[in-house]
Structures are given as C-alpha cells and as structure tokens.
Amino acid sequence: MNFYLEQLGGNLVCEEDIFEKNKKFLRRYRPKIRQIKRLENKLYVIDDRIESTHGVELTGMPTGGLRRELSDDLACKEEIENRINNLLIEAKPIKDEIIKCIDHLDNPTQANILEMFFIEDIQLDTIAETLGFSYRQITRLYGEGVRDIKMS
C-alpha cells in the first residue's frame, strides 16, 4: 500500500483515503442532477396530459377514476417547474466547484471522463463506447483522474 504525506496536514495518509475523499467530493452533484432528471420526466408526463386535456374524445364509454381538471395539471406543472428551478439554483455552486477542480487536471482525457461521469451522469461503459476506449482504459483513467483532483 502506498503512503505519502498529505500536503495540508503533514499527516501520513493512505492513497486510497485520498481517492475516497476526492470521489466523495466529486459525487456531490450527481444526486441533484438525478433529481432534476426525475422531475423533468414528471413534467413531460404532465405536459402530455395537459396537451391531451384540450381535445375531449367522446366514445360513449364510461371513464374510470377521478376526473382531471386542466387547472390541476397546470398547478402541478408550475410546482414541478419551481422545484426544478430551486434544485438548479442549489446545484450550481456545487457543479461550478467540481468543474473548476476538473478543469485543473493536466490530462484532458481524464478531465473529459470525470466531467462526463460526475457532471453529465454518464456511466463508465457508455463513456468508453462514446470515446472509443476500452472499459479497462476508461476505469484506469477515471481512477487516475480522481486521485489527481486537487480540491480548492
């Protein structure tokens, strides 16, 4: 196991501890972007419902469930849009801080992989396919990039 002195504290720190600390720092944005995507999907469903509310189709068949009002859907749409905007405002400083650290990496390929993984929420196998590298190369570059991150 490799040990070296941590720059700030002067304490002996394991390389694996640095890796985990950096990974935790970089992962902070992913839950926010996933929540935003989830809400955007909900918004898409509501938009579809609003669009279908305009044209009433008379089939003579009874409809089940509660009757949906356009005003209810519009209120729900507005609420979800507000939630998305609040999450975007909350997530922006985290995203900016992470991107700043990624941009300071010396290896542009590592920076690209980390941005795709931690900011764009793309899985490593998809990144490998997109960039034309093997999965093994991507995981190696990912690991080196996470270790090389310098938090400000």
Side-chain angles (χ1 to χ4, degrees), residues 30-119:
R30 288 180 81 184
K32 304 270 187 217
I33 195 67
R34 287 177 178 168
Q35 183 74 345
I36 290 167
K37 285 179 183 178
R38 184 184 69 79
L39 289 172
E40 285 174 340
N41 286 337
K42 265 181 117 168
L43 193 59
Y44 178 76
V45 169
I46 290 171
D47 279 341
D48 249 10
R49 230 179 13 226
I50 289 171
E51 220 172 274
S52 68
T53 305
H54 290 303
V56 176
E57 191 175 304
L58 298 175
T59 62
M61 299 297 294
T63 58
L66 297 174
R67 197 171 148 202
R68 276 216 175 277
E69 295 291 327
L70 179 61
S71 60
D72 295 336
D73 287 338
L74 290 173
C76 190
K77 178 182 177 176
E78 184 179 346
E79 177 196 338
I80 291 175
E81 286 173 339
N82 287 336
R83 288 170 61 192
I84 290 171
N85 287 334
N86 289 337
L87 279 169
L88 287 169
I89 290 167
E90 223 177 273
K92 184 161 177 20
I94 297 168
K95 179 183 177 182
D96 291 345
E97 185 179 14
I98 292 168
I99 287 176
K100 183 179 174 185
C101 290
I102 290 172
D103 286 346
H104 283 90
L105 285 172
D106 292 332
N107 185 326
T109 306
Q110 289 174 352
N112 193 22
I113 291 166
L114 293 186
E115 187 169 341
M116 291 173 82
F117 187 76
F118 290 108
I119 301 299

Side-chain angles (χ1 to χ4, degrees), residues 22-37:
N22 287 354
K23 193 163 73 168
K24 185 177 179 182
F25 168 80
L26 291 167
R27 277 189 172 158
R28 297 175 304 142
Y29 180 70
R30 288 180 81 184
K32 304 270 187 217
I33 195 67
R34 287 177 178 168
Q35 183 74 345
I36 290 167
K37 285 179 183 178

